[in-house]
Amino acid sequence: MTSNCIVVQGHIPDFDVQGSLTALDKQEMMGLSLQHLRKNNPKTHIILTGHGHRPLTSGLDVCDQIYWEDKCRPLDSNGYVANMPGQFWFIGKGLMLAAKDCRTPIVKTRLDCLIGIPNITEHCETILKKEQKQLLLTQQTCWSERC
């Protein structure tokens, strides 16, 4: 059993409130995202959490654990779950599943994210040790180099 863990969270609504992607488009993309994550993290425990349409089976098959609600919760005009900051419920479910098995370190990422660094948990742990920290936060705030 591996101790490293990645919690992946997402949702796939019936329609894209921010663009023109169909649910099937998102199911395919997020299924590929999970496959990519597994390819780069072959020994890491992957926990998928979320709601709405499920990613394609080819993506689900690479997950070690899944907590998924088949009905998508209401979304606001920005595509966020209404009255649920930071997708708290689903992230929390994934972290509780990881903690139940005492899996650390844990990397949390979005289902629509592609991480190009192999063995991301080990990479993050190296940064934490070097900086003598316990928590590593990253984010992308925009697509421009001027951010």
Side-chain angles (χ1 to χ4, degrees), residues 29-95:
M29 288 189 326
M30 293 182 182
L32 290 170
S33 176
L34 289 166
Q35 290 176 22
H36 176 79
L37 189 63
R38 172 55 71 204
K39 180 179 178 185
N40 280 324
N41 300 277
K43 296 179 181 175
T44 301
H45 191 83
I46 296 176
I47 299 173
L48 171 65
T49 67
H51 55 113
H53 295 277
R54 290 175 182 253
L56 296 184
T57 303
S58 57
L60 296 175
D61 287 348
V62 303
C63 298
D64 296 294
Q65 287 179 278
I66 299 172
Y67 175 84
W68 195 271
E69 294 179 2
D70 290 322
K71 184 175 188 224
C72 193
R73 296 197 181 189
L75 305 177
D76 66 19
S77 61
N78 294 314
Y80 300 116
V81 177
N83 302 315
M84 189 183 290
Q87 302 287 334
F88 174 77
W89 175 257
F90 296 99
I91 295 165
K93 281 288 189 183
L95 293 175

